[in-house]
Amino acid sequence: MVTKQPRLNGVLEQETFKAVQKLSKREGVSMSLLARDLIRDALERSEDYYWASEAEERMKTLDRKKLVSHKDAWQA
């Protein structure tokens, strides 16, 4: 099968491999497709964690007196 998608090879512990294999069979998808989706989900969670920590840092310096209401911000 020829594809233009980049490839990634990895090594898994036996237990992890078996878990991915079992889940892929249960879901009716290939192991590579399942692994792609699991990696994508992990990256999204990592990004969410990053932005949540950034928001927490910004909240420490927030001056509530300078806040503008939604209505005022969108008024022409």
Side-chain angles (χ1 to χ4, degrees):
M1 179 171 80
V2 177
T3 181
K4 294 182 180 180
Q5 298 295 329
R7 302 280 179 168
L8 172 70
N9 292 319
V11 178
L12 302 175
E13 295 87 0
Q14 189 69 23
E15 283 187 29
T16 305
F17 179 86
K18 287 180 181 180
V20 171
Q21 188 177 41
K22 184 178 179 180
L23 185 57
S24 72
K25 285 180 183 177
R26 188 173 74 206
E27 298 289 324
V29 297
S30 68
M31 289 179 66
S32 62
L33 182 61
L34 178 66
R36 182 203 67 189
D37 292 344
L38 291 171
I39 291 169
R40 185 182 292 155
D41 289 346
L43 289 171
E44 287 174 6
R45 281 193 206 113
S46 178
E47 183 179 356
D48 290 346
Y49 177 78
Y50 170 79
W51 287 117
S53 64
E54 286 292 307
E56 285 179 20
E57 286 299 312
R58 290 186 69 179
M59 287 296 290
K60 291 177 184 177
T61 61
L62 178 66
D63 183 356
R64 295 200 176 272
K65 294 176 185 171
K66 293 182 180 180
L67 293 179
V68 177
S69 72
H70 180 81
K71 182 181 175 183
D72 291 343
W74 289 99
Q75 226 171 17

